Amino acid sequence: MTRQIRLLTKLSLYNFFGLNEFRFTKDSKKKTRYYLFALLWLLLLAMMGGYICALSYGLIYMDMGNLVPAVLVMCVSLVSFLFTMIKAEPVLFHKSSYESQIALPVTIRSIIVSRFLSMYFTNLLLGMLVMLPGMAVYGILQHPGLTFYLYGVLSVLFLPLLPLTLASMLGALIAGISSRWRRKNLVAILLTLLLVSAIMAGSLRMGQLEEEQLVTALQEIALMLETRVGRSYPPALWVADAMVQGNADAMFLFLGVSIGAFLLFLEALRPFYGKICSLLSAREAKGNYRMAQLKANSVLKSLTERELRRYFSSTVYVTNTLMGPLLMLLMAAAILFMGVEPVESMLGMSGIVGKTLPVFMGLLPAMLPMTACSISMEGKQWWMLQTLPITRTQMIWSKVSANLLVSLPFYLLSELLLFIALRPDPIDLAWLLIIPMAYILFSARTGLAINEKFPIFDWENEVRPVKQGAASLLTLLATSLSALAPMVVLIACPTVPAHAVYAATACLLLLGTWILDRIPHKSALRRSRSS
Amino acid sequence: MLEIRNLTKTYKGGKTAVADLSLTVHSGDIYGFIGHNGAGKTTTIKSIVGIHDFDKGEILVDGKSVLTQPLACKQVLAYIPDNPDIYEYLTGIQYLNFIADIYKVSKKDREERIRRESEEFGIYSVLGDLVSTYSHGMRQKLVLIGALIHEPRLLVLDEPFVGLDPEASLLLKKKMRSLCDRGSAIFFSTHVLEVAEKLCTRIAVISGGRLAAEGDTRELTQDKSLEDVFMEVTGHDKAD
């Protein structure tokens, strides 16, 4: 069985970030793109490493060094959990690869373990990225004994196991529930979004409590943090105990619970796995069609409708890209029910949200627009758009329109809640309306331009274009930077009138959108330029 | 209707898939394009329909260049790939309605054509179901109906008979003949030499990216079978 697991895991890892293509492609342009992508990742990793070092140093500086491992473990676990929950269903129960693998002489256990391992490796990277810089800072400043490093390395290796198992359990539950419904994708999308929203709201509440306590003595904060972390995720404290105090029992407890939970999950899922996969891939065919009057639409409307159908057919596509608009709505609701200051305190961003509200609200739906992977999501069907008599402009605007249509209800509802909550004067209201809309439009067009430059069509699992594509990452960077600049000016230069900053931001965003629309592009639909 | 002049396509890595290929397909022709695996058939077809760029040469559809007037060319042609990878998240009727919208087919015409073609191909009753529930053959039939919906003047098909049941193959041949009788042209690649010999008015044999033989089917074969001619011009002895 180990051999089966090794082979199946190797197979799925070949597709990991397109590594196999990078290794074997003879296309020098593609290779250069991969190098650039790797450089970008390195930059991001360095930034994240720097942040972790600063966080660890800060804790040690405030005499809370003992909490460093617990806080790091908590970070890794929460992020692993959230990321895995979104992709557990498409990876664990991926139907087409299930059909091809189940026909091979391999056990269901091997298939489950191999898929689990492919997710484990991504989370292991994340764990290393967070834990190692933090451990290094702690090691230099606190001079711990050998057990700190020994248990540290052990915990890095096993850290992803428990959040992965818990997220996979929820993913399996969502898959199991949705597989029984006719509209499987819609049910899975709703359940995933609901759970992620609940978890995010829960983690924000935790942040608020910490923040409130910051006014009290440091000793109290340390105790508070410890209790809070221990109450929400006890394994974090077990690891911290093992690393800081050399408590071997705590380490064994952590390892036992992590491995035990995984084995239990494996055995519990095994009998139902095949059935869930079959039910998820089953499609109901009625075979009773009777032609009613058909509707004729314009080319753009027809393309947009198709785009929306494509969007809502994919759980992973929707859950990833709808998170931004959903956050915008949650934020507006939080401001309505709690007020701006408590929300700032909850986010650990005192004095930032209120001062930059239009930009902040615009950034949320703009972070990962659906257009950032909409060309890649065409996949093997890309030939259709290439051979149909449509212009590049029609293709672009159908995708941008679909993006706007999806964001619109969230935008309108958020604006309404903010209006009720803040009762802004007409000028502030105008900025509150204009800036987020400008961000939505700009991000939709920017995402598409980036995806046009960096498309991936040869994917097997939708997770790759949505979560692992260079286009998604670059779009996130571009839109974040576009919001960061005005936010910095608004906070750091109080003498500059906010209205001027908002006006400049809106103009620049719209100008950017306009320019992107006019740049001729050769990568996608190159033969379909207007004629 | 279709004119290919000195087409040359080299892939990145240096492999020349098609070299200096020239051929002409007239209105009313059923033009068979045959060759071994990797001979350059699909590359040629993808260059005609706008999926691939090419390095040298010219391709004209109805007198218009696919490089300078791609939309005008695409408006009059229809393409059917060897693998019917179509939108699985649409129902059959949504797919056909989408194609009809893109080609701007009137409501009356689309209703009449979809009903007629889907009944003839035997998939009328499943048009309300998702494409993901269709078998390979049913998808192939759906793509065929989609390709015929705007009555193309040039139909380009890549291995159209793969995956079709005998009845559907017969129907497709009938449709191809009837389309050509109405003045359209058909250009298709195939491995099935018997079909090509019986169906095509003209045939081109491609080998190693180069045109090995081309002409009127009867003149090309004369007293030999197409299989003999194919083996002869591609430099292979016929296996006994």
Side-chain angles (χ1 to χ4, degrees), chain A residues 77-239:
Chain A
S77 304
L78 189 66
V79 176
S80 295
F81 180 79
L82 281 174
F83 278 12
T84 309
M85 217 185 75
I86 289 173
K87 68 177 183 183
E89 195 229 300
V91 173
L92 210 55
F93 301 99
H94 188 232
K95 56 194 178 204
S96 63
S97 60
Y98 170 75
E99 282 169 12
S100 59
Q101 287 177 351
I102 199 67
L104 300 170
V106 294
T107 61
I108 282 190
R109 193 185 272 121
S110 306
I111 295 176
I112 303 175
V113 175
S114 69
R115 291 182 183 202
F116 193 89
L117 281 177
S118 72
M119 294 192 289
Y120 166 83
F121 283 113
T122 328
N123 288 291
L124 180 67
L125 285 180
L126 175 81
M128 286 164 72
L129 192 74
V130 173
M131 290 295 285
L132 297 183
M135 278 170 65
V137 171
Y138 187 90
I140 294 165
L141 297 177
Q142 301 286 86
H143 312 291
L146 191 66
T147 49
F148 173 82
Y149 298 102
L150 179 73
Y151 291 147
V153 171
L154 263 179
S155 66
V156 169
L157 288 175
F158 288 91
L159 205 53
L161 214 52
L162 197 57
L164 259 174
T165 307
L166 294 173
S168 300
M169 274 163 68
L170 280 176
L173 200 69
I174 290 171
I177 294 169
S178 55
S179 68
R180 288 167 197 285
W181 292 64
R182 193 167 158 255
R183 295 195 177 274
K184 300 174 178 63
N185 285 332
L186 203 61
V187 176
I189 288 166
L190 286 176
L191 285 174
T192 312
L193 286 177
L194 209 68
L195 268 168
V196 172
S197 308
I199 291 161
M200 281 196 301
S203 64
L204 283 178
R205 257 195 85 237
M206 210 179 100
Q208 184 195 15
L209 289 166
E210 287 159 23
E211 192 75 21
E212 278 167 4
Q213 296 298 318
L214 273 173
V215 289
T216 65
L218 288 179
Q219 284 294 327
E220 273 180 45
I221 299 168
L223 192 70
M224 180 75 193
L225 259 174
E226 204 168 342
T227 320
R228 209 38 79 180
V229 170
R231 209 182 284 164
S232 32
Y233 193 64
L237 280 193
W238 303 338
V239 174

Side-chain angles (χ1 to χ4, degrees), chain A residues 283 286-289 291 294-295 297 302 306 309-310 381 383 386 390-391 526-529, chain B residues 52-53 66-67 70-71 74 85-87 89-90 93-94 97 101 107 110-111 124-125 129 133:
Chain A
R283 291 283 181 270
K286 288 182 287 218
N288 59 354
Y289 179 72
M291 189 182 283
L294 294 179
K295 225 170 71 185
N297 287 320
S302 201
R306 183 203 68 95
R309 285 184 206 282
R310 203 286 163 254
Q381 287 129 23
W383 69 268
Q386 284 180 298
I390 54 167
T391 61
R526 62 185 130 197
R527 308 282 296 280
S528 295
R529 58 185 170 264
Chain B
H52 281 342
D53 266 337
V66 298
L67 284 178
L71 286 194
K74 287 174 185 180
D85 277 322
I86 47 172
Y87 307 124
Y89 47 88
L90 298 183
I93 191 67
Q94 282 170 343
N97 219 17
D101 279 338
K107 266 166 72 174
R110 74 175 72 179
E111 278 176 15
Y124 176 77
S125 64
D129 294 329
T133 64

Side-chain angles (χ1 to χ4, degrees), chain A residues 26-29 95 182 281-311 313 377-378 380-392 394 522 525-531, chain B residues 12-13 46-54 59 66-72 74-75 77 79-81 83-90 93-95 97-99 101-107 110-112 114-115 118 124-130 132-133 143:
Chain A
K26 286 175 184 157
D27 185 341
S28 56
K29 270 190 192 163
K95 56 194 178 204
R182 193 167 158 255
S281 60
R283 291 283 181 270
E284 206 177 309
K286 288 182 287 218
N288 59 354
Y289 179 72
R290 289 283 170 275
M291 189 182 283
Q293 207 178 31
L294 294 179
K295 225 170 71 185
N297 287 320
S298 69
V299 173
L300 185 64
K301 192 175 175 207
S302 201
L303 284 168
T304 309
E305 266 185 25
R306 183 203 68 95
E307 199 61 41
L308 287 170
R309 285 184 206 282
R310 203 286 163 254
Y311 182 62
S313 73
M377 287 299 280
E378 297 288 342
K380 287 173 187 160
Q381 287 129 23
W382 180 231
W383 69 268
M384 290 219 58
L385 286 187
Q386 284 180 298
T387 57
L388 289 176
I390 54 167
T391 61
R392 179 174 164 257
Q394 284 169 331
K522 284 190 171 179
L525 273 196
R526 62 185 130 197
R527 308 282 296 280
S528 295
R529 58 185 170 264
S530 304
S531 59
Chain B
K12 278 165 190 152
K46 286 187 173 174
S47 301
I48 297 169
V49 300
I51 296 176
H52 281 342
D53 266 337
F54 44 90
I59 299 176
V66 298
L67 284 178
T68 56
Q69 292 176 284
L71 286 194
K74 287 174 185 180
Q75 196 67 51
L77 69 76
Y79 165 61
I80 297 171
N83 197 353
D85 277 322
I86 47 172
Y87 307 124
E88 293 195 341
Y89 47 88
L90 298 183
I93 191 67
Q94 282 170 343
Y95 169 76
N97 219 17
F98 167 70
I99 297 290
D101 279 338
I102 300 293
Y103 284 98
K104 298 173 184 140
V105 180
S106 72
K107 266 166 72 174
R110 74 175 72 179
E111 278 176 15
E112 186 252 312
I114 291 174
R115 185 187 291 275
S118 61
Y124 176 77
S125 64
V126 295
L127 285 183
D129 294 329
L130 283 170
S132 56
T133 64
V143 181

